[in-house]
Amino acid sequence: MANHKSSIKRIRQTKARRLHNRYYAKTARNAMKVLRSTEDKEAAQALYPKVCSMLDRLAKKNVIHKNKAGNLKSKLAKHVNALA
């Protein structure tokens, strides 16, 4: 266990940030899962901007890498466009 005051505080901060980041990353993953399972094109087109916004926010906060956010958005766009 750490003995320095600063390292003890850093451990507390890291734990809090990790929980915060996990919550928002999991929320985005669930939203992507819902979008991928959607068969209706209109519903998917309505949901797509919200999911993209979530991914952009996660990338901005460095929860996920910006290239990963771009790749995920691209895959979701292909899925939405492929719906009949």
Side-chain angles (χ1 to χ4, degrees):
M1 184 62 193
N3 291 323
H4 296 286
K5 265 187 157 182
S6 61
S7 57
I8 293 170
K9 180 179 177 182
R10 178 64 58 197
I11 290 168
R12 281 199 318 266
Q13 289 176 328
T14 303
K15 184 178 177 186
R17 282 198 192 104
R18 181 172 174 268
L19 286 173
H20 180 266
N21 291 342
R22 279 180 61 197
Y23 170 77
Y24 285 104
K26 183 67 174 176
T27 304
R29 279 200 305 273
N30 287 340
M32 285 189 293
K33 194 183 297 184
V34 168
L35 180 59
R36 282 194 195 107
S37 65
T38 303
E39 298 296 326
D40 183 34
K41 186 162 185 149
E42 289 79 28
Q45 284 176 332
L47 193 59
Y48 177 71
K50 294 174 187 169
V51 175
C52 284
S53 176
M54 279 183 181
L55 292 171
D56 287 334
R57 267 186 266 131
L58 289 178
K60 183 179 175 184
K61 300 282 186 183
N62 290 321
V63 176
I64 62 174
H65 195 274
K66 64 178 183 170
N67 290 352
K68 181 175 179 67
N71 288 338
L72 290 171
K73 289 185 340 186
S74 174
K75 285 181 184 178
L76 291 173
K78 284 172 81 171
H79 169 74
V80 170
N81 290 334
L83 292 173

